[in-house]
Amino acid sequence: LSLLWQRDWPMAEKAFEDSDRGDLAALGSYTAQSLIDETDGTLTAPAANYFLLKGDSFMRSGRLDIAGVYYQRSVKDYPTIEGWQKLARAYREQGSLDQQVAALESVLVLEPTDLETRYLLALARFEENGRAAEAKSQILDLINGFDPHEPEDYVLLYKIYLALAQLDDTLGNKEGAIEWLTLAFDLPFVQTHQAGINMSRLYLDLGRFDDAWTWQQKVKALRPTDPQTYILAADILEGQGKLNDAALYYEKAIALKPDYAEVRNNLGEIYRGLREYDQAVICYQKALSLKSDFPVVYNNLGNVLLIQGRHKEGLACYQKALSLRPDFPEARFASVMAQIPPVYGPGDDPSLF
């Protein structure tokens, strides 16, 4: 890159071609003589493509804001469907729904009939306005007459079926959601793992534990090393009140992904339910070591500390939870009650008050 900015084109291209880094090697395949067009100061096509590659790299590392900057710079001088789609995804991941909508609309300026963009736009508008029925109607109109032939067509249809299931679930039509997920799971050319997880969770919401477990087993057969599979099993077992079994499955998930703070918190809640308070504290503390800005865990830790009679430490946890999330009603109530020692004694669970 240093050679590139120095405009030593032959040496820069050789360096790119010799590189074992995918993004630089991709740029090395171009024969462009400059990042900047000398005539008008805009990015050249290869430079715009390189900015997309850099944005992809930052997306993979979770640096969404920087990824967005690279995507913006690319589409500013060299607008492409791919560039606008990548920028829309970055905005979605950042929670910037209005900017996501604007980026998707820019895609449609370039390709008005792009089915994937139109379905994503319907979903984005639903997330903005909450009108699930309207979004469902729009998406159904889009796929009316859609006849998939290529594998990528089936991948798109799979995503659309998942979206329709989500919309039906939002509308309270869980049976309808199950029908969409069944269609998704039966599609060819698609890894249907997520459809199986969503199906299992819908049955779990309905209290149909046997059906939920059947789908969990199907998911496990597809991806036996995915921690989500074991988290799902733990949630089903917890719903049945089988806390010891649920703890074992959470432990299996943690063994597969040790840095999963959310699962450490869930395991802590299981141990609290089993009245194994020391183990619960260890789980919460480990979760906070992995994710320090986790208000729910501070609240849960505060609850267990109060159960153990450690009022001062519990109060500090509630205050920390409120500093991270001022509108946290459970933490606010508990922080007030924790300052009245007679209310709680060792063994009392403040979350039950």
Side-chain angles (χ1 to χ4, degrees), residues 3-13:
L3 289 166
L4 201 60
W5 287 114
Q6 295 171 42
R7 298 176 182 271
D8 188 345
W9 316 124
M11 290 301 295
E13 185 152 1

Side-chain angles (χ1 to χ4, degrees), residues 204-245:
L204 179 58
D205 290 344
L206 291 168
R208 292 166 60 176
F209 298 114
D210 290 343
D211 290 328
W213 189 260
T214 296
W215 279 94
Q216 188 276 338
Q217 292 294 297
K218 292 182 180 182
V219 170
K220 183 181 177 183
L222 288 173
R223 292 191 186 176
T225 60
D226 185 348
Q228 288 294 333
T229 300
Y230 296 95
I231 294 168
L232 178 58
D235 291 345
I236 295 169
L237 292 165
E238 183 180 1
Q240 295 175 298
K242 300 175 181 179
L243 300 187
N244 284 302
D245 293 334

Side-chain angles (χ1 to χ4, degrees), residues 309-322:
R310 299 157 66 178
H311 289 258
K312 188 173 182 180
E313 294 170 84
L315 177 59
C317 287
Y318 294 135
Q319 291 171 339
K320 180 65 176 179
L322 288 169

Side-chain angles (χ1 to χ4, degrees), residues 92-113:
R92 176 179 174 79
E93 295 294 324
Q94 293 178 59
S96 302
L97 295 178
D98 55 339
Q99 292 176 299
Q100 181 198 3
V101 167
L104 290 171
E105 288 173 340
S106 296
V107 176
L108 294 179
V109 170
L110 299 173
E111 182 51 76
T113 61

Side-chain angles (χ1 to χ4, degrees), residues 52 55-56 59 64 67-68 70-72 74-76 78-94 96 99-121 124 156 159:
L52 292 183
D56 293 346
M59 283 291 286
L64 305 178
Y70 274 96
Y71 293 148
Q72 286 169 357
S74 177
V75 299
K76 176 178 179 291
Y78 202 79
T80 62
I81 292 173
E82 180 187 19
W84 282 115
Q85 286 174 335
K86 289 176 182 287
L87 182 57
R89 185 165 65 90
Y91 283 141
R92 176 179 174 79
E93 295 294 324
Q94 293 178 59
S96 302
Q99 292 176 299
Q100 181 198 3
V101 167
L104 290 171
E105 288 173 340
S106 296
V107 176
L108 294 179
V109 170
L110 299 173
E111 182 51 76
T113 61
D114 187 75
L115 178 60
E116 182 168 12
T117 300
R118 293 170 70 194
Y119 122 77
L120 289 173
L121 186 57
L156 175 56
K159 294 177 182 177

Side-chain angles (χ1 to χ4, degrees), residues 142-205:
L142 290 177
I143 63 172
N144 183 30
F146 177 54
D147 186 16
H149 295 287
E150 302 298 326
E152 55 266 29
D153 295 336
Y154 286 99
V155 171
L156 175 56
L157 192 58
Y158 174 73
K159 294 177 182 177
I160 291 174
Y161 284 160
L162 292 187
L164 288 167
Q166 174 194 350
L167 292 168
D168 263 336
D169 190 24
T170 301
L171 292 166
N173 182 12
K174 293 191 181 296
E175 294 298 335
I178 287 171
E179 290 179 14
W180 290 118
L181 291 173
T182 301
L183 290 172
F185 197 82
D186 291 337
L187 286 173
F189 307 114
V190 180
Q191 293 292 323
T192 56
H193 172 258
Q194 190 59 54
I197 285 181
N198 292 359
M199 182 79 83
S200 181
R201 290 207 172 277
L202 276 172
Y203 280 125
L204 179 58
D205 290 344

